[in-house]
Amino acid sequence: MDDLARCARDLRALPPSCGPVRLVAVDGHAGSGKSTFAARLAEALGTAGEAVPVLHLDDLASHEEYFAWTDRMLAQVIGPLSHGGTARYTSYDWTARRFTGPRALAPAPVVLIEGVGAGRAALRPHLARLLWMERDPEDSWLRGRRRDGIGLSAFWDGWTAAETRHFLADPSRPFADALVKELPEGYKVLPGPSATARKNQIIT
């Protein structure tokens, strides 16, 4: 069994964390490979060929609010899911620069949240697991800039500054249950700082 399949098996076995949902966050620096990993994990978690739902935080952020989406996340997503209902959240169109009509997110047994800040303090009480993409910021940002092209250089300049401020004020990695390393083929999933701390606790 490879690490992705093992990770999916372990996540399915967790108790629900947000109503009937096992809410799993995939966090890391922009360009670290979160979206690709989340898509592959969603497929591994799915049944009958249908992947589990993935909420992309790019849909909640905006040009004006890179990280100021917590209240909308709690009201539009966490609240309904915690009561077993379908979440309906407004989604941002990065081309039109405006929010569009609501998208539905059903309370599936496992729901993934991927994006920078998915493991922020306000969300952690509702998470079954926090996964961190283990790639340093400079390498991640370089990958992102190459992916998006020179036309978005100014955006990336503003983003990297905002991301740095965010993680200084509200870090995710120290609370990660697992660290995900991208390999030439597949992924390696290692215990994160949070899991290591729990393992090393002394009980008297």
Side-chain angles (χ1 to χ4, degrees):
M1 180 181 293
D2 63 24
D3 276 14
L4 189 61
R6 186 177 297 107
C7 181
R9 179 203 62 191
D10 293 345
L11 293 176
R12 283 193 295 264
L14 293 172
S17 61
C18 184
V21 177
R22 294 155 184 83
L23 203 59
V24 177
V26 179
D27 203 339
H29 298 288
S32 61
K34 298 179 301 301
S35 297
T36 300
F37 173 74
R40 293 179 181 174
L41 180 58
E43 291 179 359
L45 283 162
T47 57
E50 184 173 345
V52 304
V54 181
L55 171 60
H56 303 283
L57 291 180
D58 283 350
D59 290 338
L60 296 182
S62 69
H63 285 93
E64 290 73 30
E65 298 179 334
Y66 289 159
F67 294 101
W69 40 258
T70 305
D71 289 344
R72 284 186 291 110
M73 177 73 171
L74 292 173
Q76 298 179 6
V77 178
I78 299 298
L81 292 182
S82 68
H83 293 95
T86 295
R88 300 185 188 282
Y89 61 95
T90 52
S91 177
Y92 188 69
D93 185 324
W94 287 84
T95 301
R97 301 178 74 98
R98 62 181 177 85
F99 284 96
T100 61
R103 293 186 180 182
L105 182 67
V110 181
V111 173
L112 302 182
I113 303 173
E114 75 82 17
V116 180
R120 61 180 19 177
L123 299 187
R124 286 198 293 272
H126 308 282
L127 299 179
R129 280 292 184 273
L130 168 55
L131 312 180
W132 175 267
M133 299 302 296
E134 187 71 339
R135 188 184 296 274
D136 67 67
E138 289 77 13
D139 184 30
S140 298
W141 297 336
L142 181 58
R143 279 165 46 110
R145 287 177 181 272
R146 286 174 174 169
R147 176 195 65 204
D148 293 343
I150 194 171
L152 289 179
S153 291
F155 169 83
W156 272 95
D157 291 343
W159 173 268
T160 53
E163 182 183 303
T164 300
R165 289 193 299 269
H166 167 72
F167 280 134
L168 284 174
D170 192 354
S172 295
R173 188 184 184 279
F175 303 94
D177 299 290
L179 304 177
V180 181
K181 292 189 175 183
E182 185 178 357
L183 304 176
E185 293 185 9
Y187 297 91
K188 184 71 175 177
V189 181
L190 303 171
S194 179
T196 302
R198 290 196 301 270
K199 183 178 180 181
N200 293 334
Q201 283 179 344
I202 298 176
I203 302 175
T204 58

